[in-house]
Every structure is written in structure tokens, then in C-alpha cells.
Amino acid sequence: MSQQRKPLVTHIFTADPSAHTFKDKIYIYPSHDIPHTGNDDDDGGEYQMEDYHVLSMDNPDAPCVDNGCALHMKDVPWVSKQMWAPDAACKNGKYYLYFPARDHEGIFRLGVAVSDDPAGPFEPEKDYIPGSYSIDPAVLTDDDGRSYIVYGGLWGGQLEMWQNGTFDPDAHRPEGDEPAIGPMFAELTDDMKSFKTEPKHLVILDENGAPLKAGDEDRRYFEGPWMHKFGGKYYLSYSTGTTHYLVYAVSDRPEGPYTYRGRIMEPVLGWTTHHSIVEYHGKWYLFYHDCELSGGINHRRCVKFLELKIHEDGTIEKVWPYGEQ
Ligand code: FUB
């Protein structure tokens, strides 16, 4: 029986799924939501995660297995709280888990941890990636072996607080016709543990070649970036946050500029929407989350997936999370 559009696991709350094909299986690296009774706020204070569990499926029809705790914040010296959306990458037989969390000053940073096994456990580096900030890291390893990281999120993710290169909690939040803030992008060093190039904002253009504006909330970047490659082109997909869409943009080069192409998914139940796109045996799958398992509580989410159609001309067929409306 197909598991598509159903919670992949129900014994824990999971979110922000980053899926990869490793060793001919699908591995899913989600956040692990913790139930609590505090209120939601615009700063993400309700997302109090403390560890990561890696999920896996032998194939899209097989049961989903929880491989247990792969990394806990008590084992990461620089982390104070809030282990948010992770991703993983494989290079030279090693597996790398990338994760955001607040440091001891309350600033979101990106960490990396290493394992010989895609399911972990992962051994963290003692300090965060030098020069890193904000949230939601995602890594693409290109056909030539070069690896790129994209990251960043507005509001609770603090991306707009770094516009002048230093952390400014009172920084102006761009609005209206001001240019939107794109996600950060850098190449990773060969050991996968630091930035090889100076991180730069990716630029996302509209159909006329003009950068998307901050007030264009149906299309501008908010959080949850993902990169994949199809037909030799680079795809950047992400959440529009306040308008709750998953959308995508395409470029000939990993560093962009990207051109906005359309919506991937209409809003799910719950405020956040966050996804990944993975190929398995020639078919494409969208992993995402919603709040069905908790009946709509924003910080108690559940990971799901469905098959995604990418047409030969490169367009992604839009999906509705609960069937076409
Ligand atoms: O899970 C915490 C945050 O919520 C993630 O980092 C965002 O992408 C949003 O899903």
C-alpha cells in the first residue's frame, strides 16, 4: 500500500525533511519536533528541538524506519538550543550532517557533524562553521564533485539581521519595492567542513529579469532552500513563508542568478512549509511536512512525501497537498 501523503512516522513529530538517495535507499534527515504547551511567536520560539533522528526507507513503497538519535545538542559544545532544519551530504565515503542551532549568544549558526554511516551517529565539530549564520542549510554535490551550500531564513531565522555583515537585531526589514533578501550561497571546502568561497546572496529574478521585491510575498525567498539538478540546470526551491507556498527558480549556474518559474505546492496545514526533492530509480519525489498528526499544532509536524512530475521541458507540475482543488 502506498505511503504517499501519509505521516511517515507517527511515534515522534518530524519536520523539515531533507531526503537523499544513499546506498540505494532513501534517507530522510528531518527536524525532531518536541511537544510543549508554550505559545507560538514570530521568532520561532515554539520550535525547541534538541536532537536529530535519521529516517530511512529501502524504497518508496517500503516501511519507514527510525534509526534512533543520530546527534543530540548536549554533544555539541557551541549549541545552546533549537536544533532546526538539517541536511546531509556524502563525499568520499563519509556522511556529513549540516544543522542550524542557536549558539550561547542566541545567534543561529550552522554546524557540521561526520559519520561513516548515513544513519549516524554523527560526530560534531567542536565549533560552528566559521563565518556561518542563520538557518536551513542544504547541500548539493555537483556532477564534478564540487559541493555547494545554500542557507538562510527570515524572521526567526535572523537572515535580515546580517545585511551589513555583522549581527544587528534591530536591522531594517526590507519591504515593498525594496529588493528581497535571497538565501546565502557558498562552495564548501573539499573536507566539507568550511566555506571555500565567501558566502553571497543568491539573486532571484522575475520573468523580466528584475530582482524579486521584498513585497512580492507570493514569490520572494523566505526560508527552507533546496537545490537539485535536472537536465543540466540548477533548481533552487524554497518556502515563501508568510504566504506558505513552495516555489522554484532555475539557473544555468549554481551561483545564479535564478529565474522564478512557479509554484511546486499549495499551502499545507500549519504555518511552516519545508521540503526537499530527490530522485530515486528515475522517479522524482517531494518530501514535505504538515501538521495533520497533531491536528494543526504548528510545532508538532509530520513528514510526508509524494511523487513529483518534472516534465521534459524542465517545468515542475504543481501539487496540492490534499488532492487537487
Ligand atoms: O523547524 C524550524 C523551522 O521551521 C525551520 O528551520 C524552517 O524552515 C521552518 O520549517
Side-chain angles (χ1 to χ4, degrees):
M1 199 171 74
S2 173
Q3 301 186 81
Q4 296 193 34
R5 298 175 188 266
K6 296 187 185 134
L8 274 183
V9 292
T10 55
H11 65 294
I12 55 173
F13 291 107
T14 55
D16 309 323
S18 291
H20 291 275
T21 302
F22 292 143
K23 297 186 167 178
D24 203 36
K25 288 190 190 183
I26 299 177
Y27 283 88
I28 305 135
Y29 299 84
S31 301
H32 175 196
D33 281 350
I34 301 179
H36 61 82
T37 50
N39 290 332
D40 290 3
D41 60 39
D42 283 351
D43 216 17
E46 66 272 36
Y47 301 109
Q48 291 291 344
M49 300 80 108
E50 296 179 353
D51 67 1
Y52 296 109
H53 285 224
V54 179
L55 308 179
S56 58
M57 296 190 292
D58 284 353
N59 61 65
D61 296 316
C64 186
V65 174
D66 174 2
N67 295 281
C69 182
L71 180 69
H72 194 282
M73 70 176 199
K74 69 175 167 36
D75 297 319
V76 193
W78 63 268
V79 169
S80 67
K81 60 179 180 177
Q82 292 182 299
M83 291 181 112
W84 283 11
D87 189 23
C90 174
K91 182 158 277 179
N92 298 330
K94 296 253 181 231
Y95 295 86
Y96 298 86
L97 182 74
Y98 297 88
F99 58 94
R102 285 192 200 256
D103 68 11
H104 294 285
E105 263 114 52
I107 298 175
F108 271 109
R109 306 285 186 176
L110 306 181
V112 58
V114 189
S115 176
D116 292 328
D117 189 320
F122 289 88
E123 179 70 31
E125 292 295 294
K126 299 276 171 291
D127 209 347
Y128 53 77
I129 296 175
S132 67
Y133 52 77
S134 200
I135 60 166
D136 292 358
V139 172
L140 170 78
T141 297
D142 210 339
D143 308 325
D144 60 4
R146 294 166 78 178
S147 296
Y148 304 102
I149 187 165
V150 58
Y151 58 93
L154 301 182
W155 293 20
Q158 302 178 334
L159 185 57
E160 59 270 71
M161 298 171 187
W162 287 93
Q163 289 173 81
N164 297 322
T166 53
F167 184 70
D168 174 7
D170 302 318
H172 166 71
R173 194 180 271 173
E175 53 192 26
D177 285 344
E178 294 177 274
I181 300 178
M184 304 302 293
F185 171 89
E187 184 174 348
L188 289 171
T189 49
D190 293 341
D191 70 1
M192 302 292 272
K193 293 179 182 171
S194 28
F195 299 140
K196 186 171 180 176
T197 58
E198 178 82 15
K200 293 209 162 39
H201 289 281
L202 290 178
V203 174
I204 307 168
L205 307 172
D206 68 14
E207 61 283 7
N208 300 314
L212 292 182
K213 294 178 173 147
D216 188 353
E217 294 187 29
D218 282 355
R219 300 192 295 178
R220 65 91 177 85
Y221 178 80
F222 189 92
E223 64 184 1
W226 186 256
M227 286 179 80
H228 75 274
K229 239 181 135 174
F230 179 88
K233 305 248 186 220
Y234 296 84
Y235 284 64
L236 170 71
S237 44
Y238 53 91
S239 163
T240 62
T242 49
T243 49
H244 317 288
Y245 301 118
L246 293 178
V247 301
Y248 73 105
V250 179
S251 177
D252 291 328
R253 294 184 300 272
E255 69 274 19
Y258 284 80
T259 301
Y260 179 87
R261 282 289 161 75
R263 266 182 219 167
I264 299 173
M265 195 185 229
E266 293 289 317
V268 295
L269 175 66
W271 199 93
T272 64
T273 185
H274 190 125
H275 76 300
S276 59
I277 294 171
V278 66
E279 186 179 18
Y280 182 85
H281 287 209
K283 290 186 172 180
W284 291 88
Y285 296 92
L286 176 76
F287 282 76
Y288 61 101
H289 70 227
D290 72 6
C291 298
E292 184 199 335
L293 190 59
S294 65
I297 300 173
N298 280 331
H299 66 274
R300 298 184 198 180
R301 298 164 289 180
C302 57
V303 168
K304 300 179 171 183
F305 79 105
L306 50 74
E307 192 177 333
L308 194 67
K309 285 200 179 62
I310 308 184
H311 296 291
E312 276 188 16
D313 69 357
T315 53
I316 299 180
E317 194 168 304
K318 186 175 78 168
V319 286
W320 281 260
Y322 310 104
E324 197 154 336
Q325 285 147 12

